[in-house]
Structures are given as C-alpha cells and as structure tokens.
Amino acid sequence: TAYEIPKRDWSSDVCSSDLNAVGVRYDYRSSREGQHPLEMLENFTGYLQVDGYSGYDNLFKTGQIIEVGCMAHARRKFTDIQKSAGKKAKLPVVEHVLNLIAKLYHLEKGFKEQALSHDQITQERQEKSQILLDKLHAYVTEQINKTPPQGSLGKALQYVLNHWSPLTKYLENGKLDIDNNAAERCIKPFAVGRKNWLFCGNVNGAKAAANIYSLIASAKIHDLKVFDPVLIISQPFQRFQETGSDWVSC
C-alpha cells in the first residue's frame, strides 16, 4: 500500500503529485486484512482517500477518519462494460453516466489550469460540480430500477449509489482530489515489477523493498534526482564487495 505523508492535519491514501504530501510511504503486510490499516492509522484523524475496498471499512466507524471515495473507480465500472461490449455496441446508459463523469473531470482540469486556491476550488465545486453530481445521482437512481441487479450494469450503478457519500466528499474541501489515481500511479511500479521478479525472499526483504521504494518515490515528489539516494544506499554494499570486509562504515 502507498500512503501520503501529509503536511497538514489531513491525509489521503495517495501518492500526490501536487505537493500536498511531503513524502510517500510504502508498507508491506502479510495480507489485505482490515486490521493492518487500523494498526497503521491508529492515531490518525482527518480525510482518508480510498478505493472502496471493504478492508478499509473499520477505519471509518468511529468518525475520526472521514472516507473520501475515488471517482475513477466508479468510472472504471462503466468503461469495463464498454470494453466488454465492443466499439459498435450501443450503451446509452453507460455513455450518459460516463459523459457526466467526464464533465466533472473537465471542471477539475480547469481548476488546476487556473491555479485556483483550495478555497476557490471548494466554492467552484459547490457551484458547478454539485449540479452535475445531482444529475448523476438522479439518473443512476432512475436507471437502477430498470436494470437487472446481477448484471454488470446493475452492479456498476449500485456501486455508485453505495459509495455516493464518499464519492462526493471531495466537494467540501478543495485540498481533496476527485480520485486517488495518484496512489494508483505509485503502486504501478510494483505491478510492473512483478513481471521481472516473483519473490522478495522473505518478510524482511519485502519490508526493505518497501523502504527503498518509499525513499525513491518521496525524492521524485520533490523533483530530486531519484538515483542519487540509490547511489548513497548502494555505496556501502559496493564497498563490501570490493574489500571483502565483513562490515562497512559510511
């Protein structure tokens, strides 16, 4: 899992590229059980952006942590239907939902291009994004009563309604993102890397890999030369190989 290390009193489960974070932390656990995020975020209060995975549900029961959803995950439910049906298929419900979501993203792009402050983004979202979200909610509510619940479209529509509160939570704070794609980008190196290696050897190896990834990802956030810290770390091992010594000082 990739976590943002926040500058302020709020956080999200993301690796942010807009410098809302001071760093990125990768954490290795033996499973995806809900007890692990509970342990890691035991004393945390504020916003936490997640992808809807049920293993995070216990984090939000006390109210100290506020769940923020991911619109990209909701959108993916519908784009997957498009891909399965093929380019020539006519899917009016899917297309209408995706059109409304695309308009939400268009607004977000405009806010960034205008370099609006967090307060300005909050105001713009509540004036413009809220209208689109109201339309989306009304349309999904209407269509779900006409759609078989066990089909892919029925499940996609139900996902939106089941997660409506966290999906729209980003409206209330301009610091929040519409999705957690930044976290997905941080996890991508691991997903790509699995094609090149299968095992970390043991638990200590997995934790060491997470630490090194954290260092490199945090350096990239601050526009540092990402290979510099790698060189610094690798120098003692290189010196060990050259000298054959059983210890190295650096």
Side-chain angles (χ1 to χ4, degrees):
T1 302
Y3 290 89
E4 177 187 75
I5 303 171
K7 283 183 178 177
R8 304 177 181 86
D9 59 349
W10 65 279
S11 182
S12 51
D13 183 7
V14 304
C15 164
S16 178
S17 60
D18 61 6
L19 292 186
N20 281 328
V22 296
V24 180
R25 178 181 176 185
Y26 292 90
D27 184 68
Y28 169 79
R29 298 298 169 108
S30 59
S31 72
R32 298 189 71 195
E33 293 180 5
Q35 68 185 45
H36 299 309
L38 277 174
E39 291 171 358
M40 189 168 191
L41 301 172
E42 181 180 6
N43 299 315
F44 175 73
T45 60
Y47 293 103
L48 183 73
Q49 189 160 29
V50 297
D51 58 11
Y53 172 57
S54 59
Y56 297 124
D57 289 349
N58 288 334
L59 290 167
F60 310 113
K61 289 184 177 180
T62 65
Q64 290 183 317
I65 300 178
I66 303 169
E67 181 180 6
V68 184
C70 175
M71 191 64 72
H73 278 76
R75 178 177 59 186
R76 194 173 302 152
K77 306 290 183 183
F78 296 92
T79 57
D80 285 347
I81 296 173
Q82 278 187 326
K83 292 176 183 177
S84 298
K87 295 181 179 180
K88 296 182 179 180
K90 295 183 178 180
L91 305 166
V93 175
V94 171
E95 291 171 2
H96 188 71
V97 169
L98 289 176
N99 180 260
L100 288 172
I101 294 176
K103 290 180 178 179
L104 289 169
Y105 274 88
H106 181 73
L107 287 175
E108 293 299 312
K109 181 181 179 181
F111 301 156
K112 289 184 178 180
E113 289 177 347
Q114 297 173 60
L116 300 182
S117 68
H118 292 144
D119 289 340
Q120 289 173 322
I121 291 174
T122 301
Q123 183 176 350
E124 289 290 304
R125 284 174 174 172
Q126 292 175 356
E127 292 177 357
K128 299 176 181 178
S129 303
Q130 182 69 69
I131 295 173
L132 291 171
L133 286 165
D134 289 343
K135 291 180 179 179
L136 177 60
H137 187 269
Y139 185 74
V140 170
T141 302
E142 175 190 352
Q143 293 301 319
I144 201 167
N145 295 321
K146 306 175 184 178
T147 307
Q150 296 306 315
S152 56
L153 179 57
K155 291 179 180 178
L157 294 169
Q158 193 62 59
Y159 178 92
V160 172
L161 292 181
N162 288 347
H163 296 86
W164 188 253
S165 178
L167 283 174
T168 57
K169 188 62 65 176
Y170 78 101
L171 291 178
E172 69 182 40
N173 193 322
K175 299 175 183 177
L176 302 174
D177 292 324
I178 190 173
D179 58 39
N180 70 339
N181 280 348
E184 298 289 329
R185 289 192 292 271
C186 284
I187 295 171
K188 188 176 180 179
F190 279 101
V192 173
R194 281 198 297 266
K195 297 179 180 179
N196 298 315
W197 63 80
L198 294 178
F199 308 104
C200 287
N202 52 46
V203 172
N204 288 336
K207 291 181 177 179
N211 289 337
I212 292 172
Y213 266 93
S214 299
L215 180 63
I216 294 173
S218 297
K220 289 174 69 176
I221 273 188
H222 294 282
D223 295 323
L224 300 177
K225 294 180 180 180
V226 296
F227 292 108
D228 286 355
V230 176
L231 290 173
I232 293 170
I233 292 173
S234 64
Q235 281 177 353
F237 300 101
Q238 182 178 358
R239 201 177 309 163
F240 171 79
Q241 291 178 336
E242 291 173 352
T243 63
S245 171
D246 59 355
W247 65 275
V248 177
S249 61
C250 58

